Amino acid sequence: MSGAAGAETRLVLESADAARTRRIGALIAAVLAPSDVLLLSGGLGAGKTTLTKGLVGALGGDERAVRSPTFTLMVTYETSPPVAHVDCWRLEQLAEVLDLGLSEVLDDGGIAVIEWGEAAAPLLGAGALRVHLSAPGELAGERRRIVVSDEGASPRIAALGEAAAAAGLVAADGPA
Ligand SMILES: Nc1ncnc2c1ncn2[C@@H]1O[C@H](COP(=O)(O)OP(=O)(O)OP(=O)(O)O)[C@@H](O)[C@H]1O
Ligand SMILES: [Mg+2]
């Protein structure tokens, strides 16, 4: 883990399989607060939806119901707090989704989880927690490197780092 006030704090995790990525999603859920935004990036099949399953499950939802919201644009899960799950291929699409209810979910204390979150950064990047997953095949076997980053000296990344270390999910080779 690294970082100081004004800079970025990042934590590099490593997941050997989909179950561990779901577990990382659950650990991330524990450090999010109402109205937080989580931006997920990483290419096709990286594990953005898999991580979201763990997050939704940890907040009391049914993780089997979680799919990439590619055609629906936004799905809201009845978790506590509620989670709005969004696919953001283009910024214009996000503007539409904000109008279609995402703004209201955030105003009411819900959490936004946005796949292809890099496109959302101009509108929702300020204060967002960011997670980048490595592409399938980049690391050996089914492994994924999962880099979590936040602005400034981030207490939530510090808490996540402790939980992940206790679960043996911190990457051995440090920052990538
Ligand atoms: N370590 C791992 N972490 C996450 N998923 C993994 C891992 N190893 C294998 N997988 C598999 O890779 C696939 C990841 O798919 P998932 O839908 O989560 O990716 P995605 O990033 O949401 O893709 P898309 O861009 O299509 O929405 C799943 O089938 C999952 O079981
Ligand atoms: Mg997906």
Side-chain angles (χ1 to χ4, degrees), residues 40-108:
L40 302 178
S41 63
L44 282 172
K48 303 180 292 296
T49 300
T50 300
L51 187 143
T52 304
K53 284 176 186 279
L55 184 148
V56 165
L59 297 177
D62 178 4
E63 63 175 48
R64 292 166 307 179
V66 176
R67 312 230 187 297
S68 289
T70 311
F71 301 108
T72 46
L73 297 186
M74 178 172 96
V75 179
T76 307
Y77 305 112
E78 290 182 13
T79 44
S80 177
V83 170
H85 185 197
V86 174
D87 250 16
C88 181
W89 290 84
R90 293 173 297 114
L91 186 60
E92 305 81 67
Q93 185 186 316
L94 180 68
E96 193 180 322
V97 174
L98 281 163
D99 282 348
L100 289 173
L102 180 57
S103 294
E104 204 177 335
V105 171
L106 286 168
D107 287 347
D108 291 348

Side-chain angles (χ1 to χ4, degrees), residues 2 8 31 54 71 88 116 119 121-122 132 145-146:
S2 60
E8 186 187 67
V31 303
F71 301 108
C88 181
W116 306 97
H132 180 81
R145 185 184 306 107
I146 301 180

